[in-house]
Amino acid sequence: MIPYSIPYGRQSIDQADIDAVVEVLKSPWLTQGPTIERFESAMAERCQADFAVAVCNATAALHIACLAAGLGPGDRLWTTPNTFVASANCGRYCGADVDFVDIDPHTWNLDAGLLAQKLEAAERVGKLPKVVVAVAFSGQSCDMQAIAGLAERYAFTLIEDAAHAVGASYDGRPVGCGAHATMTVFSFHPVKIITSGEGGMVLTNRPELAERLRRLRSHGITSDPSQMSVPSQGLWYYQQLELGFNYRMTDLHAALGLSQLARLDGFIARRRQLAARYERLLAELPLVLPTAQAGAESAWHLYVVRVRFDQVKLSQRDLFDALRTAGIGVNLHYIPVHLQPYYRESGFTDGDYPEAERYFDEAVTLPLFPDLTDEQQDYVIEQLRSLLG
């Protein structure tokens, strides 16, 4: 009999969250109402940003962030291969070409040094990117200071995909503050740091970007007379200024997200406590444990280890199967994006980004979420010891 069934991640919902959603259900506004603005204002204040624009999910947030940056056909977007496919797909949605920069062998984030080399080579042939999406993998920012310096030098828009990093900080300021990235994208999927069920948000300090992001999330429509091509005919009047999307968040989702935001500090504290226990209790196993990026304080959305399979008797598949049979829902973040069939059709192949590929061959994502108990974590560690020791 399996003593546990432990996922790699799970939401934490309490009565206050339920009450917040029920309150909206009893209100006149289920969507396009005041709770969305309250959630946006609270996130902007928390992150020390000027503007926050809520949308239906983080993929939509990435899409409109790229559009607001002016990305289109003939342009190029670069990102890391060690991410979920949305970090690259947002470029393809805009008709742009997508390329990748390999990962740092220590932090497993986009390597700023390799980015600098690739930018120098791209400048010589006139193929610089218009957008670089720097992913805060597992909750830890990249070397954002270095990447921001490159953005200024080579005139690309820096978007931080911080889907994993709500509550994280960099250089002593909250991720999302806009000190380095032009726009920052958050996710509120159930396995992320806080959840709104589904949902995402773009944060920026530039009013013109915030204005366009709001328009793009709602069909490209405005009710602002100052933006119209002809005078407004009344309070009911609107104009579609561009091709936008129905990417709006509902008040139901915003109510849950706003309630969860009140618990963010507790969530982060528990995740950091669990990560510290893993670091201490796994130290003697044949594993490579996560390494901190200078200046970054992780939100610990994920706890990923790399297994030294040359020192153990089982394969990666054997380890996954054994742990899942033991009731531990380990996962793998991520399959390198360039090896997905869709991107192989564009000419990417094995060996293009060797560090990301080596990482993929060794990585295991262990359970980490606020409601994970010490007893459950001890069980995960015990199973690892029995298989790898």
Side-chain angles (χ1 to χ4, degrees):
M1 179 179 177
I2 299 172
Y4 296 107
S5 181
I6 308 171
Y8 85 87
R10 184 170 57 201
Q11 70 274 11
S12 175
I13 303 296
D14 67 5
Q15 190 60 47
D17 297 329
I18 296 168
D19 291 344
V21 175
V22 170
E23 183 178 353
V24 169
L25 282 169
K26 293 179 178 179
S27 78
W29 295 94
L30 298 187
T31 190
Q32 295 179 266
T35 309
I36 297 166
E37 292 183 4
R38 289 171 55 214
F39 186 28
E40 290 173 332
S41 295
M43 282 298 302
E45 181 179 359
R46 169 79 192 210
C47 297
Q48 301 175 10
D50 291 339
F51 306 99
V53 179
V55 290
C56 55
N57 55 60
T59 301
L62 285 165
H63 183 192
I64 63 172
C66 288
L67 288 172
L71 190 70
D75 295 328
R76 285 163 289 277
L77 176 147
W78 293 359
T79 189
T80 171
N82 184 32
T83 186
F84 187 58
V85 294
S87 307
N89 289 350
C90 58
R92 297 295 301 129
Y93 298 154
C94 299
D97 295 326
V98 170
D99 203 351
F100 303 93
V101 179
D102 211 349
I103 63 173
D104 183 289
H106 305 292
T107 65
W108 313 331
N109 266 328
L110 184 149
D111 189 316
L114 293 178
L115 174 62
Q117 294 174 27
K118 187 160 185 160
L119 287 165
E120 185 177 350
E123 185 178 42
R124 289 196 295 268
V125 295
K127 292 187 176 181
L128 286 168
K130 190 162 193 174
V131 169
V132 170
V133 176
V135 178
F137 173 72
S138 79
Q140 174 174 256
S141 289
C142 302
D143 186 351
M144 294 300 289
Q145 185 173 357
I147 298 172
L150 293 169
E152 183 174 0
R153 177 178 175 182
Y154 291 100
F156 60 80
T157 298
L158 175 56
I159 298 173
E160 183 168 22
D161 180 348
H164 297 182
V166 176
S169 64
Y170 181 81
D171 278 352
R173 296 190 64 191
V175 169
C177 70
H180 298 95
T182 302
M183 288 174 277
T184 300
V185 169
F186 287 141
S187 171
F188 309 123
H189 183 276
V191 298
K192 297 301 196 304
I193 307 298
I194 63 171
T195 186
S196 60
E198 278 280 9
M201 196 171 284
V202 188
L203 277 67
T204 185
N205 293 335
R206 298 189 184 181
E208 74 281 5
L209 291 178
E211 180 180 284
R212 187 160 187 228
L213 289 163
R214 293 191 185 104
R215 191 166 64 238
L216 284 166
R217 76 175 170 185
S218 191
H219 304 282
I221 285 173
T222 184
S223 296
D224 182 353
S226 69
Q227 298 181 27
M228 293 182 181
S229 59
V230 297
S232 174
Q233 299 178 30
L235 294 177
W236 53 269
Y237 190 70
Y238 62 86
Q239 288 186 354
Q240 181 185 346
L241 303 184
E242 60 183 317
L243 183 64
F245 308 87
N246 186 355
Y247 281 172
R248 296 182 297 240
M249 177 181 279
T250 71
D251 282 60
L252 294 169
H253 291 90
L256 177 56
L258 186 58
S259 178
Q260 287 261 302
L261 185 57
R263 302 171 65 197
L264 177 58
D265 288 338
F267 288 161
I268 295 294
R270 178 56 177 162
R271 286 177 177 276
R272 288 175 177 165
Q273 182 183 46
L274 289 165
R277 289 188 89 242
Y278 271 137
E279 183 174 24
R280 183 175 73 253
L281 298 173
L282 296 176
E284 296 181 1
L285 293 181
L287 301 171
V288 178
L289 303 181
T291 300
Q293 167 65 51
E297 192 168 5
S298 181
W300 289 109
H301 163 52
L302 300 173
Y303 194 89
V304 181
V305 298
R306 292 175 69 165
V307 181
R308 300 181 186 276
F309 283 106
D310 59 335
Q311 299 180 21
V312 298
K313 297 179 180 179
L314 72 174
S315 68
Q316 187 182 45
R317 176 64 181 270
D318 292 337
L319 179 62
F320 267 78
D321 289 349
L323 289 169
R324 289 199 169 186
T325 298
I328 300 168
V330 289
N331 213 321
L332 203 163
H333 298 83
Y334 287 97
I335 302 168
V337 179
H338 70 285
L339 298 183
Q340 295 292 348
Y342 174 82
Y343 285 97
R344 285 183 182 273
E345 289 177 3
S346 298
F348 295 104
T349 190
D350 300 81
D352 284 348
Y353 305 99
E355 190 57 45
E357 293 170 32
R358 280 190 292 270
Y359 164 89
F360 169 60
D361 289 338
E362 300 169 356
V364 180
T365 303
L366 303 180
L368 181 65
F369 51 92
D371 292 340
L372 183 71
T373 66
D374 288 0
E375 180 184 35
Q376 289 173 319
Q377 188 182 35
D378 288 342
Y379 175 72
V380 173
I381 294 164
E382 174 191 323
Q383 294 300 310
L384 282 169
R385 284 174 173 164
S386 68
L387 290 164
L388 300 176

